Amino acid sequence: MAAKPQLGAAQPRPSAVAALRAGILMGGLAAAMTLRLASGGAAGSTSQPAAVLFAAVLLALGLLSGWRPVRGSWPSRARGAGMGLGGATLLCALPLAHRLWVGVPAVPRPAWGMLLTWSLATFCVAVAEEVLLRGALFDAVRRTGAGEAAAVAVAAVAFAVIHVPMYGPGALPLDLGVGVLLGCLRVASGGVTAPATAHAGADLALWWVW
Amino acid sequence: MRRAARHRRAVLAAGAAAALAGWLATGTNAPPLYDSVGVAPPFRYVCAPAGINLSLHPAPNPATQTLPVTNGQSPGVGFTTDEVPIPQAQVLVQAGELVLPPGATAITVSLTPVVPPQILPSDGVLDGNVYDIPVTAGNVALPLAPGALATVVLRGPPTGKLATLEQFDGRTWTPLNSTPVGTADIFGANVTSFTTFALVLPGSPQTHAAAGCLPGTTLVAPGVSSSGSATSTASAGAGGESSNTALILIGVAVVALLVAGGLLLLLRSSGRPPPRSGGGRGRPSRRR
């Protein structure tokens, strides 16, 4: 049965509210990125305190926008985590194979004594980015009526663009492609667990396989 | 059910294809994902040490900047090479601290990675590239004003060891009082003149520079670009402008985030259905 329209004060159209929410989230994302880079000082993107601050801001924005994790059953969460692990494996497999066959330049990695703090900071940033991009922003774009494909695209573009100041335009194609994969994991699993697992897994693997 | 599973598989396959395309487009030397705390690009060498394949490393970027002179004073310089996210060389000079020749309207600062000179440091081995850093007005090398300091910052390869910034005046290498800057393998020092600089790791002196150098790299025996001796000092250097900019950016970002947070809260409250009479939650109120 269709709900009757409510009388009283005029309510904004849900799609307009969702579009506004998506715009605010993207603006907040840009501000959070600026805060991370400016507060990182000379360390820039390698600053762990700035990274943790960035993660906290993203989580706050996601929660303020009304995003909450889907209350799924344990089997569905396990399935999401499994999909995410598959995604992380895929992301690592090709570079690893290339490294084994061809060799790669030496990439600086943090000192071993920083493994624990580096892992925590990396995990927090990955999960927070997924909460905001594939959680809050994805939901907001989808609620505009644009559909899931548009939500995947917008989140992927935002994901790629926010990393340009840190890794340069050369990283844009990779982050765009990976952003689409993470969005597809969100669509296929129905929640953020899968993209967050894939994202954190690929980031953490950097220490071991790169 | 089966249709949903098929749709899920198709979505995942599309995502995998996008990731593969992105990896191929970026270049197969890319990490799994350019998104991790501490991801830094490979060091860019002019001359490869043993075990480093130059063909796998992009070339380092030289950089030149021309800045206008205002009110007869030299401008502040905060200039880096354009490697992202970690520039390999940087020079900082505060405004008014360069001695300008009469009639100067602009100054030019260059950061040029060069092939090491014939004379190598006697107290260790070169760590990364040698940079020629001239500061000129026209073709005249500019000295720093008496008592003034500039700061040079260089990034080295990922060794994890403490390197020393050394200055070459065309005859000898002089170690400077160097400090790590921000993160591993980046070191800075205050300088009183602009010549040629490199990081040096302690160890047995090199007898010759690395054999394999990038083709087309400027082959120079770096000379003195301006007068003055290379003495080191531990006092604070330039860079006040960049820290001010960072503070301004932080302030703007915080304000923007507060506004965004407030708007998101407003939207949440405006998106809620109006309260029902009786304050019941989850149960529709009866009309009276």
Side-chain angles (χ1 to χ4, degrees), chain A residues 41-136:
Chain A
S45 63
T46 64
S47 165
Q48 291 180 17
V52 172
L53 174 66
F54 175 68
V57 169
L58 293 194
L59 280 175
L61 283 172
L63 294 175
L64 284 172
S65 76
W67 178 87
R68 296 291 182 273
V70 177
R71 288 178 185 171
S73 60
W74 279 109
S76 70
R77 287 186 185 181
R79 191 176 62 185
M83 281 187 189
L85 286 175
T89 305
L90 176 74
L91 288 175
C92 296
L94 288 170
L96 187 58
H98 186 264
R99 177 190 177 128
L100 293 175
W101 281 98
V102 181
V104 292
V107 173
R109 72 165 84 181
W112 279 98
M114 294 168 68
L115 175 59
L116 183 62
T117 56
W118 176 86
S119 300
L120 284 172
T122 299
F123 179 81
C124 289
V125 171
V127 170
E129 284 185 353
E130 290 311 311
V131 164
L132 191 88
L133 292 168
R134 255 64 65 172

Side-chain angles (χ1 to χ4, degrees), chain A residues 64 118 163 166-167 174 199 203, chain B residues 26 33 35-37 85 268:
Chain A
L64 284 172
W118 176 86
H163 291 105
M166 299 168 69
Y167 306 113
L174 180 60
H199 189 161
D203 281 358
Chain B
T26 300
L33 171 56
D35 174 51
S36 178
V37 180
R268 276 180 68 186

Side-chain angles (χ1 to χ4, degrees), chain B residues 15 41 80 190 201:
Chain B
T80 68
N190 291 330
L201 283 176

Side-chain angles (χ1 to χ4, degrees), chain B residues 65-69 72-77 91 93-94 96-110 133-146 148-150 167 191-195 197 224-229:
Chain B
Q65 186 181 40
T66 300
L67 298 162
V69 170
Q73 276 205 330
S74 63
V77 177
V91 60
V93 188
Q94 284 189 342
E97 299 215 323
L98 293 167
V99 179
L100 297 173
T105 56
I107 68 165
T108 301
V109 187
S110 295
I133 307 179
V135 180
T136 58
N139 287 324
V140 179
L142 299 182
L144 281 161
L149 296 168
Q167 183 167 15
V191 301
T192 54
S193 62
F194 301 103
T195 57
F197 300 87
V224 182
S225 302
S226 72
S227 60
S229 63

Side-chain angles (χ1 to χ4, degrees), chain B residues 15-74:
Chain B
L20 175 62
W23 183 70
L24 290 172
T26 300
T28 46
N29 276 332
L33 171 56
Y34 261 115
D35 174 51
S36 178
V37 180
V39 175
F43 186 79
R44 299 177 174 214
Y45 291 93
V46 171
C47 298
I52 295 291
N53 181 356
L54 268 184
S55 66
L56 293 171
H57 291 250
N61 297 335
T64 298
Q65 186 181 40
T66 300
L67 298 162
V69 170
T70 49
N71 300 327
Q73 276 205 330
S74 63

Side-chain angles (χ1 to χ4, degrees), chain B residues 73-184:
Chain B
Q73 276 205 330
S74 63
V77 177
F79 181 45
T80 68
T81 49
D82 63 1
E83 293 93 1
V84 177
I86 303 176
Q88 294 199 171
Q90 181 178 23
V91 60
L92 301 159
V93 188
Q94 284 189 342
E97 299 215 323
L98 293 167
V99 179
L100 297 173
T105 56
I107 68 165
T108 301
V109 187
S110 295
L111 297 161
T112 310
V114 295
V115 171
Q118 294 291 325
I119 302 170
L120 295 170
S122 60
D123 56 349
V125 293
L126 289 174
D127 181 35
N129 297 331
V130 176
Y131 277 86
D132 199 18
I133 307 179
V135 180
T136 58
N139 287 324
V140 179
L142 299 182
L144 281 161
L149 296 168
T151 302
V152 170
V153 180
L154 295 183
R155 178 193 174 198
T159 61
K161 297 176 183 171
L162 275 178
T164 301
L165 197 72
E166 296 206 7
Q167 183 167 15
F168 183 60
D169 63 4
R171 294 180 298 277
T172 55
W173 287 89
T174 306
L176 305 174
N177 193 350
S178 312
T179 52
V181 178
T183 187

